Amino acid sequence: IAFQYAAARNVNIIPEIDMPGHSLSALAAYPEYSCTGGPFKVLELWGIQSDIFCAGNEKTYTFIEDILDELITLFPSQVIHIGGDEAHKDRWKVCPKCKAKMVAENLKDVNELQSYFIHRLSTYLGSKGRRMLGWDEIMDGGTIPDATIMAWRSVDKGIEAVKAGYNVIMSPTSNCYFNFYQGQPDDEPESFRAFLPLEQVYAFSPIPEGCTEEEKKRILGAQANLWTEYIDSPDAANYMLFPRLCALAEVVWTADS
């Protein structure tokens, strides 16, 4: 019913399950898919952890494919977001299975190992008639055919992706992260230690200068992000979203003059 409600309003709900990083909650329940075997504890505070899915273990891919199968059953979206961001690879550098996988697949470093990992997921989604969306880190170790890139680290990452032939959604921290302060911190609810005032959202150009006409066509739009580590109520979320969300909508949906 929720999907029908959204579709009737021209809204497509795209699910995201982040991998190989941001996966400690899964590893706490299934430590056998990590590099070390655990044990692990679900985080009580937000942060980036070194323990991620083991890319050298074939059983990891079976486990993730089962998750994607369930996700595909639940969500009608043709696009599935697999994350791919902030995957610390320290464990991969010393994991025997990961090192063996790099040798077997002729991969020169752990960035290429992540590209191998992401490429396998993309191929699997393609076999199910779905397409992959991922954060811009999925480009770091090589090309992922048919993937769409969500550029968050910078506008330059979006330009890099477009010039590499990807379709791109612009979502840079500089203009689209609404979990940052929008006023003086002393007068604001506690938030991430960064500043994004309304005028900076209005100054955003989702199609940057320097792109060819063909490259401009591959920029699909922009996305606002509200990460909720400091958000404890709908009222708090609305405070952080507005009026900046209205400004971004105006920027994205208004034709250049």
Side-chain angles (χ1 to χ4, degrees), residues 44-183:
E44 295 176 351
L45 296 173
W46 65 273
I48 303 170
Q49 302 300 306
S50 294
D51 290 295
I52 65 178
F53 283 120
C54 178
N57 185 352
E58 279 299 310
K59 292 181 179 179
T60 298
Y61 298 97
T62 301
F63 174 71
I64 290 173
E65 288 169 2
D66 287 343
I67 293 172
L68 292 175
D69 284 343
E70 185 170 348
L71 203 65
I72 288 168
T73 300
L74 292 171
F75 288 85
S77 172
Q78 292 299 302
V79 179
I80 304 294
H81 201 319
I82 56 80
D85 64 313
E86 297 180 325
H88 284 196
K89 305 175 185 69
D90 294 342
R91 298 284 190 262
W92 287 4
K93 292 177 181 178
V94 297
C95 171
K97 290 181 180 179
C98 288
K99 291 196 290 185
K101 179 67 73 176
M102 286 191 284
V103 171
E105 299 295 335
N106 195 29
L107 307 173
K108 67 181 181 181
D109 56 29
V110 290
N111 284 331
E112 288 195 359
L113 180 58
Q114 179 169 344
S115 184
Y116 168 85
F117 178 97
I118 298 295
H119 190 277
R120 283 191 59 166
L121 302 189
S122 178
T123 300
Y124 187 77
L125 286 172
S127 73
K128 301 293 183 177
R130 305 300 176 96
R131 303 189 310 278
M132 172 183 287
L133 173 63
W135 299 106
D136 56 61
E137 284 97 325
I138 71 172
M139 299 188 296
D140 289 351
T143 302
I144 308 296
D146 301 323
T148 297
I149 302 298
M150 190 167 279
W152 76 277
R153 289 182 290 179
S154 67
V155 171
D156 286 345
K157 285 295 180 183
I159 296 173
E160 176 187 334
V162 167
K163 291 188 177 299
Y166 290 103
N167 287 334
V168 174
I169 298 167
M170 289 291 195
S171 189
T173 58
S174 57
N175 305 86
C176 296
Y177 270 49
F178 296 171
N179 49 304
F180 295 167
Y181 287 112
Q182 58 182 323

